[in-house]
Amino acid sequence: TFYCFVRLCLDKILLQCFLQSRTLSGADAINALRPFYFAVHPDFFGQHPKEREVNENSLKRLNGYLENLQKPGFRSFKPTQLTFYVREREPNSSNVQDSFSTSGFRAVSFTLHTRDLLSTVLDILNSCSLSTEHVQSLNVNSQPHKEAKSTVNRPIKWDKTYYSFTGFKDPEEELEQAQRVETTLLSWLDYNEASAVKKLKKSLPLRKELERLKIELSHELQLSDIRWQRSWGIAHRCSQLHSLGRLVQQRPEILENVKGRTVVFTDRSGMSAAGHIMLGTMDVHHHWTKIFERLPNYYKLQKRLLLLEDRISQLLGGIQVIYIEELQPLLTLEEYFELLNSFYNKLCDSRLPFHPRSLRGLQMILESDRYAPSLHEFGHFMIPTVCDPAALQWFIFAKAQEARENLKRKEEMMITEKELITTSTERFSLDRLYKEPSVSSAQMIDCCKRLLEESLPYLQGMHLCISHFYSVLQDGDLCIPWNWK
């Protein structure tokens, strides 16, 4: 037993010496994190908008942390808490990219407080239960000469008794204590206010330009609205509006069918399930022109889609079929029509005995990535297209009364949320207060109520976004978690 204990101690010491004697370059770190990126990359979460947005925000903050680690002379490290949705591994797969499932995933949270790339990479992989064996095979350079050189200028490390005798503060103890302390709203604002103000001031001219372009194009094309699917920066949005403006000048005749419509800049071009015109930001004018030329055909398909929704409603006792952009994946009109058609044919085959109009006033949305029906806090049923018809019938009957109560509560909640946003905006002299789509109304209400109990002079004139994490966006928007401490 004693021999095993000594051997274990020696192994730990050798491993520590091994890690300390090796350094990792930025390129090595990216290579080492390849399995992690394949497991969490937002592009693989196209059917899960909430999880995609969480991973996008976390990757931004992680990249900032890794960049800081590579800055020469950078010493001020704050513990960074991150949450990722990690795709489950597929068994018996040798290819890194194909070894992850496209359906199953799990939430993983961890805190980074390491001060070198190698330790950070190992922490990330271990936290996500990913293999670290490939890290040892990387071409990581041993740098004894640099280490020896740097020890000449390193600070003197005094014994603990020196600090207790002199009363001076032990820097190592202070660092450990700072890492143990959970980030609070006040401390985070105090630390990040100056950076946010600087970015916000820099973005103000672009914000005015964006608003001007949006108003001019909306008026010229008689659009209902112009939106963006993702949180691109202000400069990026201005560039997209300039591109649309140039197309209007070059081909004004093709834009005559857009009156009263909403244009959404997104990842692909087409028409969305909600009937909005989608312009892919990676597409050239030629692709956009094709979309505008196809609009009459899209409108015909949309009429067929509305008729299909009515038929499904009649088969299910009058329950209304709806599509909610904030809660569902961004589907094209064609994809949504196929989804509805498949579900309709299944209902026709099953011939469920719903009494006509017995479920009028209730709502449902169709989902392709779930297997069991559920009831949302806002009162609408979330029905999988693969749901067993008999189980569907039982679930709707069992939850009908609760659904009606939730729908009634939804109206009250929306009013309360709107009032609290207005009150909070005025109380803190905010320029704008908004939330990410993944934040529910209940979470937003709780957040605003607690904010109103605080004194926060830092927020005057700022853009505040209620999210799941702390971050400062590139244009100066402050993001705070709804459940801040």
Side-chain angles (χ1 to χ4, degrees):
T1 305
F2 177 74
Y3 173 78
C4 291
F5 173 75
V6 172
R7 181 62 183 269
L8 182 63
C9 292
L10 285 173
D11 286 345
K12 286 184 177 180
I13 293 170
L14 288 172
L15 178 61
Q16 188 176 5
C17 293
F18 170 76
L19 291 175
Q20 289 176 347
S21 66
R22 298 175 60 154
T23 59
L24 208 64
S25 68
D28 286 334
I30 292 173
N31 194 27
L33 288 173
R34 276 186 68 214
F36 167 75
Y37 287 129
F38 280 127
V40 305
H41 200 282
D43 288 351
F44 295 110
F45 288 81
Q47 299 299 311
H48 307 277
K50 294 180 182 178
E51 289 78 9
R52 175 187 177 121
E53 190 167 3
V54 168
N55 282 10
E56 280 181 347
N57 291 332
S58 293
L59 279 175
K60 289 177 186 176
R61 300 176 66 227
L62 173 60
N63 290 336
Y65 189 93
L66 294 175
E67 286 174 8
N68 284 336
L69 284 177
Q70 298 173 68
K71 291 179 181 177
F74 191 83
R75 291 290 178 268
S76 178
F77 287 89
K78 292 192 68 179
T80 300
Q81 186 174 3
L82 300 172
T83 296
F84 286 98
Y85 286 95
V86 181
R87 294 189 293 146
E88 297 287 4
R89 294 296 295 265
E90 294 283 7
N92 305 322
S93 179
S94 57
N95 184 284
V96 175
Q97 183 170 0
D98 297 334
S99 65
F100 294 98
S101 166
T102 56
S103 56
F105 50 80
R106 56 194 166 85
V108 174
S109 296
F110 53 91
T111 301
L112 294 178
H113 48 73
T114 46
R115 310 188 78 179
D116 64 273
L117 281 173
L118 180 57
S119 300
T120 302
V121 167
L122 292 173
D123 273 3
I124 293 170
L125 295 173
N126 286 324
S127 299
C128 297
S129 302
L130 298 172
S131 173
T132 59
E133 292 180 6
H134 63 288
V135 180
Q136 308 300 331
S137 63
L138 292 175
N139 184 22
V140 182
N141 298 320
S142 177
Q143 296 182 337
H145 299 295
K146 287 189 177 180
E147 289 290 332
K149 184 178 179 181
S150 63
T151 56
V152 177
N153 297 320
R154 69 174 179 82
I156 298 173
K157 185 175 181 179
W158 297 98
D159 188 87
K160 298 291 183 183
T161 53
Y162 167 78
Y163 298 105
S164 58
F165 179 76
T166 61
F168 294 147
K169 293 181 179 179
D170 183 350
E172 288 187 0
E173 191 175 307
E174 279 192 313
L175 177 62
E176 291 175 3
Q177 187 176 357
Q179 291 172 351
R180 288 195 300 267
V181 174
E182 189 175 9
T183 302
T184 65
L185 177 61
L186 286 173
S187 65
W188 186 83
L189 287 174
D190 185 49
Y191 187 81
N192 291 278
E193 181 209 10
S195 170
V197 169
K198 184 178 179 181
K199 290 180 179 179
L200 180 61
K201 286 182 177 178
K202 188 177 179 181
S203 73
L204 288 178
L206 276 176
R207 289 180 187 271
K208 291 180 180 178
E209 173 72 359
L210 178 66
E211 190 64 24
R212 183 187 66 80
L213 289 169
K214 186 177 176 181
I215 292 172
E216 286 183 0
L217 278 171
S218 296
H219 178 73
E220 185 175 0
L221 300 176
Q222 300 183 59
L223 295 172
S224 174
D225 194 11
I226 297 177
R227 300 180 193 167
W228 285 265
Q229 179 204 359
R230 295 169 61 187
S231 54
W232 284 295
I234 305 296
H236 197 169
R237 296 187 182 200
C238 284
S239 175
Q240 291 158 1
L241 290 185
H242 279 299
S243 294
L244 180 58
R246 285 193 296 271
L247 182 59
V248 171
Q249 298 299 322
Q250 295 166 6
R251 300 287 303 277
E253 74 282 357
I254 65 170
L255 302 172
E256 57 188 20
N257 294 315
V258 302
K259 183 179 179 180
R261 293 283 169 170
T262 293
V263 167
V264 182
F265 289 98
T266 180
D267 293 327
R268 51 182 175 164
S269 297
M271 179 167 276
S272 73
H276 302 326
I277 301 167
M278 300 191 304
L279 299 181
T281 57
M282 299 302 291
D283 292 338
V284 295
H285 282 182
H286 172 72
H287 294 102
W288 289 6
T289 302
K290 290 282 187 184
I291 296 301
F292 288 119
E293 289 174 346
R294 291 179 194 151
L295 285 179
N297 292 329
Y298 279 127
Y299 296 154
K300 290 178 183 177
L301 180 60
Q302 190 178 25
K303 288 181 180 179
R304 292 176 58 198
L305 185 146
L306 293 174
L307 182 62
L308 198 53
E309 286 182 338
D310 286 340
R311 288 176 177 173
I312 292 173
S313 176
Q314 291 170 11
L315 291 174
L316 294 178
I319 190 170
Q320 182 186 7
V321 183
I322 59 174
Y323 178 84
I324 305 177
E325 288 180 284
E326 293 80 9
L327 299 178
Q328 295 178 259
L330 187 65
L331 301 175
T332 64
L333 199 66
E334 299 95 329
E335 290 169 343
Y336 190 50
F337 183 86
E338 288 300 319
L339 197 68
L340 287 170
N341 195 45
S342 172
F343 186 69
Y344 173 70
N345 291 331
K346 193 171 186 177
L347 288 178
C348 289
D349 293 340
S350 63
R351 298 182 180 180
L352 293 176
F354 280 98
H355 190 277
R357 297 185 296 278
S358 61
L359 298 176
R360 286 188 68 180
L362 296 181
Q363 299 174 338
M364 62 166 278
I365 65 174
L366 271 180
E367 296 193 326
S368 59
D369 57 347
R370 289 176 182 265
Y371 295 94
S374 61
L375 179 63
H376 193 269
E377 63 171 345
F378 278 174
H380 56 263
F381 289 96
M382 304 171 76
I383 308 299
T385 53
V386 296
C387 184
D388 176 63
L392 171 63
Q393 180 187 16
W394 177 88
F395 184 81
I396 291 178
F397 281 147
K399 296 287 185 178
Q401 184 56 36
E402 185 181 347
R404 295 187 191 278
E405 293 171 358
N406 285 7
L407 280 169
K408 190 179 295 184
R409 194 182 308 119
K410 170 191 173 182
E411 297 176 6
E412 300 170 357
M413 194 176 291
M414 297 294 284
I415 293 172
T416 302
E417 181 184 6
K418 189 175 181 179
E419 289 176 348
L420 283 170
I421 289 175
T422 302
T423 304
S424 301
T425 302
E426 294 173 353
R427 163 77 183 278
F428 300 113
S429 301
L430 287 163
D431 196 66
R432 186 189 178 202
L433 173 60
Y434 62 104
K435 68 173 185 177
E436 290 182 348
S438 55
V439 176
S440 69
S441 289
Q443 291 170 338
M444 186 67 173
I445 289 171
D446 175 71
C447 176
C448 288
K449 282 182 177 178
R450 293 191 299 115
L451 279 175
L452 288 169
E453 296 174 358
E454 301 291 326
S455 176
L456 301 169
Y458 306 95
L459 299 180
Q460 186 172 354
M462 300 301 294
H463 291 242
L464 182 64
C465 174
I466 307 304
S467 175
H468 295 278
F469 311 99
Y470 287 106
S471 63
V472 178
L473 301 185
Q474 63 187 41
D475 294 303
D477 294 46
L478 288 167
C479 293
I480 65 171
W482 68 270
N483 57 344
W484 54 269
K485 306 296 182 184

